[in-house]
Amino acid sequence: MKRSRIFIKSLELIITKIMRVPCNFNIEINNRMKKINIIYALLIALVCQFSSCDDFLDREPTDFLTDEQVWNDNSMVISALANVYNSVKMNGSLENDVNFSLIDDMMWCGLMNTDIETARNQMVAYPYDSMRYYDYNYIYKLNQAIEKLDESTLAAENIQVYQGEYRFLRAYTYFDMARRMGGVPLVTQTTTYTPGMDVTELQIARSSEAGVYEFVYDECMAIKETLAANNASTNVARANKYAALALASRAMLYAGSISKYNAAMSSPITSSLQSGVVGMTGADSKGYYEKALAIAEEIINDGVFRLHNVSSADDFYNAICSKDGNKEVIWSKDYSSGKFHIFSFSNIAQSMNEDNDNGCDLCPTLGLVESFLPLNGGAARLADKDANGNYIAYDNVSDLFEGRDYRLKGTCLVPGQTFKGAQLDVLAGVAVYQSNGTYLLIEGSEANSTYEPADDHPNADGGRFVGRDGPLSRNTYTNTGFNLRKYVDATAGSSARGQGSYMWWAYFRMGEVYLNAAEAAMELGQTDKALRYANAIRERAGFGADSWSASDLTIDNLLHERRCELAMEDHRYWDMKRLRKAHLQWNGVQSENTMLYALYPFRVIGGPNDGKYIFDRHVAYRFRAPRNFRLGNYYSSFDTDALNKNPKLVQNPNL
């Protein structure tokens, strides 16, 4: 009986491990799990029936699922695919939001333990191993699946699609390693060590950086038509033709910009240990840009996916965040009741909270908010003071943010903005009018408080002091004066930890495709095309048709558009790297580029502006070290273990 219990427990663990299904293929999973439950019950019954028969339990164990069983069964292949989809590397994600404070215009406003504060808000410099990714266990799984499917007895058309998906994930993984590490070994088949083998046969040198990007392009071109079978995939959770094209376009844009802008540096980044593994010196940027443009145009012209019509901030939010009828998102990581995430629980504003002790992990910075320009062509800087340095008073706390790019309120929540049936209630304190015409700014320390005489405050009037959302310099409240909207779920109950959110994550969408096309066309001197694609993005942001002319087409302006359009979509950090601007923008010297700023509203007491609101800008109190991206950060370092295991690797230059 003891062995029976051990067998049952082992069976439980094995079935749980093998059949634990990630989030992506919900319909297939539900059907499959019904079958597994039946099989599980029958097996348990069988064990119980023979629990007294020692000879049954003393038999030599065998594998519960052989290769033949896995790779010759559509359900098993889909299960295996779901697992590798679920393991795609993500830099910041809806399951782990912390990294967005390092790779995007977000401030970490969550837990304040020493380790997190040191790594985010007080980081002296980006570490040389920052964003390191070198995962050949994952590559092995993908190669193994491709090879096993060669031996499968499944229908040929099914095998082709499955192999296409594994090849796509392999190409995506090599792209993701290349943008971090530069050239990496290109391993496209499994190898096995046998006793007596010369181990050097298993060691592969790094490919050139150009070689990896070209491999990604070639793979995507080879599998794109095969993956067209997935074009109608539920919530585009499985790679389709246009995901392959979007990856190829992105890879070629990266290759083109790195080859061009690395060479333009005063001291181009190269490796003295192995030529070509970093920097793409001598590569043809024009050829890469031509491919990036052609592929992006193929996606646009086919019309299977298209830009979502936008005429408001809500429309822009829905273009990314709403699954219903969405034709803008090309490939996503999807979630369902079987696997939800708590991103909304972690990032909801306090006034909209459906739980307790949570919210505001990530808060947009003032720099991001001001990047969303006025629609009338006015100054980027929010008008907190006039030309003489005097505070400007506003009747309503929301007035300062009106008339700007739709993407502002589709990405962020600003004071007074409504979301989930509540208004963002941000008020830092009171501004007491002084006889010389200045203001005494008094900040409160408790949310949702009033300015009472009992607290020995000057001119206390019993009015509002601090808003329900702060701002306060502690976790669970905004520290910047703004909250996040993009990827925060508007569905009732989604910010409660027990229910969670099914909001998807967009790996590729048409907003990026249009901006890729615009940038590649500009670099090729094709001005009309570049304007057509850039203006399509700007028009739906509220700027009207043909808002840019030829003189507006600069790499800095396009980078600015990407910052607005693609905020919180894992592009900002990589765009700065590939264009070789990161070390110039984040140079470790205190400035508006390197420090994270906040904007706090105050209620005026006394004087001609009594009852109105003024705003004070300052460096966010918890952010204490300027961002410092060094030349050595353009390529993440290899760890010692990888170098020791493969002497053919060479370390990246840490300049």
Side-chain angles (χ1 to χ4, degrees):
M1 289 297 293
K2 180 178 181 181
R3 281 179 292 181
S4 298
R5 288 193 296 271
I6 293 172
F7 181 86
I8 293 169
K9 187 63 177 177
S10 299
L11 182 63
E12 266 184 340
L13 293 173
I14 291 168
I15 291 180
T16 300
K17 182 176 181 180
I18 293 174
M19 300 311 300
R20 182 181 292 131
V21 181
C23 58
N24 301 71
F25 313 129
N26 303 314
I27 296 174
E28 295 94 328
I29 288 167
N30 290 336
N31 292 336
R32 183 159 66 256
M33 289 308 297
K34 291 176 183 177
K35 298 176 184 177
I36 295 304
N37 289 335
I38 295 171
I39 294 170
Y40 184 92
L42 290 173
L43 286 171
I44 294 298
L46 183 66
V47 172
C48 293
Q49 180 179 350
F50 287 99
S51 60
S52 61
C53 301
D54 287 349
D55 60 337
F56 175 78
L57 295 175
D58 287 338
R59 292 176 182 176
E60 287 296 315
T62 59
D63 292 333
F64 284 91
L65 288 175
T66 65
D67 282 346
E68 289 75 18
Q69 289 172 309
V70 172
W71 302 109
N72 294 315
D73 183 287
N74 282 307
S75 295
M76 294 295 100
V77 175
I78 289 172
S79 177
L81 260 175
N83 278 298
V84 290
Y85 271 110
N86 197 53
S87 299
V88 170
K89 176 68 174 178
M90 301 178 77
N91 308 304
S93 73
L94 302 186
E95 298 167 59
N96 178 21
D97 59 6
V98 179
N99 271 354
F100 282 117
S101 62
L102 297 178
I103 63 176
D104 217 317
D105 293 302
M106 299 290 146
M107 179 182 167
W108 177 256
C109 298
L111 292 175
M112 298 178 65
N113 68 63
T114 301
D115 290 343
I116 291 180
E117 286 293 277
T118 300
R120 267 76 191 173
N121 293 328
Q122 300 171 32
M123 180 180 66
V124 175
Y126 283 94
Y128 286 128
D129 63 358
S130 180
M131 302 299 156
R132 176 191 289 160
Y133 181 48
Y134 188 74
D135 188 355
Y136 281 86
N137 289 326
Y138 187 63
I139 291 292
Y140 178 85
K141 292 178 184 178
L142 301 176
N143 286 336
Q144 182 187 49
I146 294 167
E147 293 170 6
K148 291 298 182 182
L149 284 164
D150 277 335
E151 305 167 5
S152 175
T153 59
L154 294 173
E157 58 270 23
N158 289 348
I159 293 173
Q160 289 177 353
V161 174
Y162 297 148
Q163 285 184 320
E165 291 181 81
Y166 278 109
R167 289 174 69 180
F168 170 82
L169 292 171
R170 184 176 65 184
Y172 185 86
T173 303
Y174 275 122
F175 164 78
D176 207 19
M177 285 200 283
R179 66 176 171 173
R180 303 159 186 267
M181 315 298 298
V184 294
L186 280 173
V187 180
T188 57
Q189 59 186 18
T190 60
T191 53
T192 304
Y193 175 78
T194 57
M197 176 185 288
D198 181 359
V199 72
T200 61
E201 295 178 17
L202 302 179
Q203 296 167 349
I204 301 176
R206 294 175 65 178
S207 170
S208 67
E209 187 175 11
V212 178
Y213 284 120
E214 289 162 7
F215 170 81
V216 172
Y217 171 82
D218 290 341
E219 281 288 277
C220 290
M221 293 301 99
I223 61 178
K224 65 173 186 173
E225 295 303 335
T226 298
L227 291 179
N230 287 344
N231 285 354
S233 166
T234 302
N235 295 338
V236 290
R238 298 175 69 173
N240 53 57
K241 172 182 177 179
Y242 298 96
L245 289 173
L247 173 57
S249 179
R250 185 189 290 180
M252 291 296 93
L253 188 71
Y254 273 58
S257 53
I258 294 170
S259 60
K260 175 177 179 177
Y261 290 100
N262 189 76
M265 296 176 73
S266 57
S267 297
I269 299 173
T270 59
S271 172
S272 61
L273 301 175
Q274 184 181 338
S275 176
V277 292
V278 297
M280 297 185 64
T281 304
D284 176 20
S285 62
K286 180 182 178 183
Y288 294 131
Y289 284 129
E290 287 173 342
K291 290 177 179 177
L293 175 59
I295 302 164
E297 289 193 305
E298 182 175 351
I299 300 172
I300 293 167
N301 294 336
D302 277 9
V304 174
F305 294 92
R306 55 186 180 273
L307 286 179
H308 187 93
N309 291 327
V310 169
S311 58
S312 68
D314 290 346
D315 288 343
F316 179 74
Y317 170 84
N318 289 328
I320 295 101
C321 298
S322 176
K323 300 178 188 180
D324 295 341
N326 192 303
K327 291 299 182 182
E328 173 143 346
V329 175
I330 297 171
W331 178 43
S332 76
K333 182 171 185 178
D334 198 19
Y335 296 84
S336 70
S337 56
K339 180 174 171 60
F340 58 81
H341 58 78
I342 60 169
F343 185 83
S344 296
F345 167 81
S346 300
N347 290 285
I348 193 73
Q350 277 293 335
S351 59
M352 302 154 194
N353 203 340
E354 297 167 301
D355 210 297
N356 55 46
D357 193 30
N358 67 285
C360 301
D361 273 5
L362 299 168
C363 295
T365 63
L366 176 58
L368 176 62
V369 169
E370 290 188 323
S371 71
F372 298 99
L373 303 176
L375 297 177
N376 64 5
R381 184 183 176 98
L382 289 162
D384 55 315
K385 293 182 178 179
D386 62 24
N388 296 318
N390 299 314
Y391 287 108
I392 299 173
Y394 292 88
D395 292 335
N396 302 293
V397 74
S398 60
D399 290 350
L400 180 60
F401 308 98
E402 295 303 313
R404 298 180 83 93
D405 187 329
Y406 296 154
R407 294 172 294 191
L408 168 59
K409 293 184 180 181
T411 304
C412 311
L413 294 178
V414 301
Q417 184 176 344
T418 299
F419 184 66
K420 293 195 76 161
Q423 283 191 333
L424 189 70
D425 183 16
V426 175
L427 185 64
V430 295
V432 181
Y433 183 76
Q434 305 296 293
S435 59
N436 62 358
T438 63
Y439 294 99
L440 173 64
L441 302 185
I442 303 174
E443 290 187 28
S445 58
E446 295 298 328
N448 199 27
S449 57
T450 55
Y451 193 55
E452 298 294 340
D455 296 326
D456 194 28
H457 289 138
N459 299 93
D461 61 357
R464 297 181 66 249
F465 195 14
V466 179
R468 291 180 62 195
D469 294 300
L472 296 170
S473 294
R474 60 176 187 258
N475 62 299
T476 74
Y477 293 94
T478 176
N479 291 197
T480 65
F482 309 103
N483 278 88
L484 183 62
R485 181 180 185 185
K486 188 184 282 190
Y487 289 125
V488 176
D489 199 338
T491 304
S494 58
S495 62
R497 74 190 84 192
Q499 175 175 322
S501 172
Y502 314 153
M503 175 80 72
W504 62 4
W505 168 261
Y507 289 111
F508 295 109
R509 67 176 178 87
M510 292 301 292
E512 179 197 353
V513 172
Y514 270 75
L515 288 169
N516 289 354
E519 184 177 334
M522 183 203 71
E523 296 286 9
L524 293 168
Q526 298 182 29
T527 302
D528 289 345
K529 279 188 177 181
L531 286 173
R532 182 192 317 156
Y533 299 127
N535 279 331
I537 291 293
R538 288 176 54 78
E539 182 175 359
R540 73 173 196 161
F543 289 100
D546 302 324
S547 59
W548 269 6
S549 62
S551 62
D552 296 305
L553 276 178
T554 67
I555 195 63
D556 286 332
N557 282 346
L558 283 170
L559 181 60
H560 181 272
E561 282 302 307
R562 292 178 71 91
R563 183 184 189 185
C564 296
E565 178 73 20
L566 304 172
M568 281 294 293
E569 297 183 49
D570 193 23
H571 289 276
R572 177 67 173 163
Y573 179 85
W574 309 107
D575 285 342
M576 297 293 284
K577 281 185 65 175
R578 66 182 176 84
L579 295 169
R580 296 301 190 248
K581 291 180 177 292
H583 71 291
L584 302 173
Q585 182 92 350
W586 303 320
N587 61 8
V589 178
Q590 289 196 16
S591 69
E592 291 194 1
N593 290 330
T594 61
M595 304 299 287
L596 303 188
Y597 277 74
L599 188 70
Y600 282 11
F602 290 81
R603 180 175 63 87
V604 175
I605 296 178
N609 294 314
D610 184 60
K612 295 185 179 182
Y613 299 89
I614 64 172
F615 291 82
D616 182 67
R617 69 174 61 221
H618 57 267
V619 174
Y621 297 132
R622 284 170 59 184
F623 193 83
R624 300 179 182 176
R627 285 187 171 174
N628 187 8
F629 185 102
R630 299 165 290 177
L631 289 173
N633 294 126
Y634 278 109
Y635 295 96
S636 301
S637 64
F638 288 86
D639 67 20
T640 303
D641 185 58
L643 295 170
N644 289 339
K645 287 179 178 177
N646 184 2
K648 294 180 182 178
L649 290 180
V650 297
Q651 182 61 279
N652 278 330
N654 287 336
L655 304 177

